């Protein structure tokens, strides 16, 4: 077990855990965005924002890295838990403005559960400043152990200082909350060995944010899964699906072309059909453009990726000659749609994009 014990200096009631060598300590409103608890902010990847009762001076501080969840000592008055994922092979406990650092024995690429315990916060808040020759006013314990990611939670609340901090955190706007929920769902499907035993994932509110689509899925199943998502854009048209015909081009995959068509229609409505880094299956979610940017950054930080599904993402764009030919095919298919047979395993037939297609990415 790794253990660090002593006193650390705090300024503005803040101290941090940092693992991104190219970044600074997170801003307070960013660190607690979307959280229920207000003592340990974990909303920014690779960082923790730790709040103390004391404004300026030294506090008692212990850090432990354990192999499993430790028992909770009843002496601690306020306790919260969050999840943490180091972004490099070096993680530090850091004072405000980089005044001092202590390296922690955390492994890059491993998920940790974090328990932050506090005692004496109200007394320290009232004292405000502690001089070196004065007795300690507040003490803290920060514990890490390997565990899958979970939402933050308040384990114990005693002090008025902690109550105010929790209330403040719950009032913060959170543009990235859903992006983090989607990321957590995607990562929850991956075992440490890389297997993917879970076919479906649910968000914390019990609704699915991700569709898991097999590469040999029939198109009716694709539509059913996407329309069942909590973020499905209800205005998304499907009138094109019955006449979507795959051109005679061995390079074009019918499922990929179908998903590109869906993504293009979604984009016209201001929604992004995001494909999350996958193996054999496709992992898809509808997100806003802002959520897509945040999701891309979060997944990149965790060794995965997200891409916007639109025309040309997986299948080649048509040449001018092909566009003219596909226009003729579309006109024929609209007139004879009831006669067009489905491809093997598909309940819908399809057509490559016509000249009305959106611009290349």
């Amino acid at each position: 077990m790794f253990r660090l014990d002593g006193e650390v200096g705090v300024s503005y009631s803040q101290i941090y855990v940092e693992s991104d060598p190219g970044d600074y300590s997170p801003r307070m409103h960013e660190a607690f965005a979307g959280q229920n608890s207000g003592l340990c902010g974990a909303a920014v990847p690779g960082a923790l924002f730790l709040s103390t009762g004391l404004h300026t001076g030294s506090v008692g501080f212990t850090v432990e890295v354990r192999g499993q969840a430790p028992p909770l000592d009843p002496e601690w008055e306020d306790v919260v838990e969050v999840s943490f994922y180091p972004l490099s092979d070096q993680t530090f406990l850091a004072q405000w403005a980089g005044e001092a650092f202590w390296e922690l024995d955390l492994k890059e690429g491993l998920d940790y559960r974090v328990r932050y315990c506090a005692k004496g916060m109200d007394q320290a808040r009232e004292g405000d400043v502690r001089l070196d020759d004065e007795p300690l006013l507040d003490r803290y314990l920060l514990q890490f152990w390997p565990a899958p990611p979970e939402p933050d939670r308040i384990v114990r609340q005693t002090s008025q200082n902690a109550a105010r901090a929790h209330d403040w955190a719950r009032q913060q706007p959170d543009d990235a909350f859903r992006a983090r929920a989607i990321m957590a769902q995607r990562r929850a499907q991956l075992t440490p060995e890389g297997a993917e035993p879970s076919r479906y994932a649910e968000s914390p509110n019990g609704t699915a944010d991700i569709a898991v689509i097999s590469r040999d899925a029939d198109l009716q199943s694709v539509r059913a899964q996407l329309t069942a998502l909590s973020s499905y854009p209800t205005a998304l048209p499907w009138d094109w699906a019955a006449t979507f015909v795959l051109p005679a081009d061995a390079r074009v995959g019918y499922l990929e072309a179908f998903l590109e068509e869906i993504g293009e229609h979604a984009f016209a409505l201001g929604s992004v059909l995001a494909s999350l880094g996958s193996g054999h299956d496709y992992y898809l979610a509808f997100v806003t453009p802002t959520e897509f940017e945040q999701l891309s950054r979060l997944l990149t930080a965790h060794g995965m990726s997200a891409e916007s599904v639109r025309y040309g993402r997986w299948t080649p764009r048509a040449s001018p000659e092909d566009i003219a030919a596909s226009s003729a095919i579309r006109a024929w298919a609209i007139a004879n749609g009831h006669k067009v047979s489905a491809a093997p395993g598909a309940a819908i037939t399809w057509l490559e994009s016509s000249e009305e297609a959106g611009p290349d990415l």
Side-chain angles (χ1 to χ4, degrees):
M1 179 186 77
F2 171 88
R3 181 180 174 89
L4 178 71
D5 188 44
E7 295 185 15
V8 301
V10 299
S11 299
Y12 302 99
S13 302
Q14 300 172 21
I15 193 166
Y16 320 95
V17 171
E18 301 172 349
S19 69
D20 187 347
D23 205 354
Y24 298 97
S25 303
R27 289 179 292 183
M28 189 172 184
H29 72 276
E30 296 174 334
F32 289 95
Q35 289 197 180
N36 187 52
S37 60
L39 296 183
C40 182
V44 176
L48 298 176
F49 187 115
L50 307 170
S51 296
T52 63
L54 191 71
H55 182 278
T56 304
S58 295
V59 301
F61 210 96
T62 301
V63 182
E64 296 179 346
V65 180
R66 295 172 169 260
Q68 59 186 4
L72 176 60
D73 193 317
E75 77 161 309
W76 298 106
E77 299 169 346
D78 294 287
V79 182
V80 299
E81 289 185 1
V82 299
S83 290
F84 178 71
Y85 184 86
L87 297 184
S88 72
D89 59 358
Q90 289 186 308
T91 300
F92 299 89
L93 179 69
Q95 289 185 185
W96 185 83
E99 294 174 347
F101 295 88
W102 296 267
E103 186 168 1
L104 308 179
D105 186 21
L106 299 178
K107 300 184 185 304
E108 181 182 8
L110 183 64
D111 286 298
Y112 290 91
R113 193 63 175 169
V114 182
R115 181 183 294 158
Y116 185 47
C117 308
K119 183 177 182 180
M121 293 194 80
D122 284 345
Q123 180 184 4
R125 173 98 176 178
E126 183 178 352
D128 193 43
V129 176
R130 177 189 172 236
L131 302 179
D132 291 341
D133 58 349
E134 296 178 339
L136 281 173
L137 297 175
D138 47 347
R139 295 191 297 113
Y140 301 89
L141 171 65
L142 186 66
Q143 297 173 308
F144 297 82
W145 65 89
E150 297 179 32
D152 75 291
R153 72 186 186 105
I154 300 170
V155 179
R156 183 180 298 158
Q157 177 184 310
T158 302
S159 70
Q160 295 180 359
N161 187 84
R164 286 191 295 266
H166 299 328
D167 288 342
W168 177 87
R170 288 189 284 264
Q171 295 170 13
Q172 299 311 299
D174 178 31
D175 295 330
F177 178 73
R178 187 163 171 270
R180 293 198 304 276
I182 291 173
M183 182 198 73
Q185 289 176 61
R186 179 66 188 96
R187 293 183 60 221
Q189 296 163 339
L190 301 173
T191 67
E193 292 75 27
E196 302 182 3
S198 174
R199 301 292 301 170
Y200 299 94
E202 289 190 348
S203 64
N205 63 7
T207 59
D209 277 319
I210 297 178
V212 185
I213 296 176
S214 170
R215 291 179 183 267
D216 58 1
D218 67 84
L219 304 188
Q220 292 286 20
S221 171
V222 172
R223 177 173 177 174
Q225 289 193 57
L226 292 179
T227 55
L229 294 179
S230 59
S231 57
Y232 168 72
T234 56
L236 185 69
W238 290 93
D239 54 345
W240 52 270
T243 55
F244 187 70
V245 178
L246 182 66
D249 187 340
R251 298 174 302 166
V252 178
Y254 79 90
L255 177 61
E256 289 76 12
F258 188 70
L259 292 173
E260 287 178 346
E261 183 86 31
I262 297 171
E264 197 69 26
H265 284 288
F267 187 81
L269 297 173
S271 182
V272 177
L273 179 59
S275 174
L276 313 184
S278 59
H280 179 266
D281 299 326
Y282 286 112
Y283 294 79
L284 302 169
F286 289 107
V287 295
T288 67
T290 299
E291 289 170 343
F292 179 75
E293 293 179 4
Q294 295 162 338
L295 187 59
S296 295
R297 290 196 297 267
L298 289 169
L299 287 167
T300 299
H302 290 73
M304 294 186 285
S305 64
E307 55 186 3
S308 173
V309 180
R310 295 184 64 191
Y311 289 146
R313 171 58 64 187
W314 295 312
T315 64
R317 293 305 310 274
S319 66
E321 295 78 13
D322 291 335
I323 289 176
S326 65
S327 297
I329 296 173
R330 180 178 292 276
W332 177 87
I334 291 174
N336 301 274
H338 62 287
K339 301 177 183 178
V340 180
S341 60
I348 305 175
T349 53
W350 4 249
L351 176 69
E352 188 181 356
S353 59
S354 68
E355 65 270 30
E356 287 79 24
D360 287 324
L361 290 175

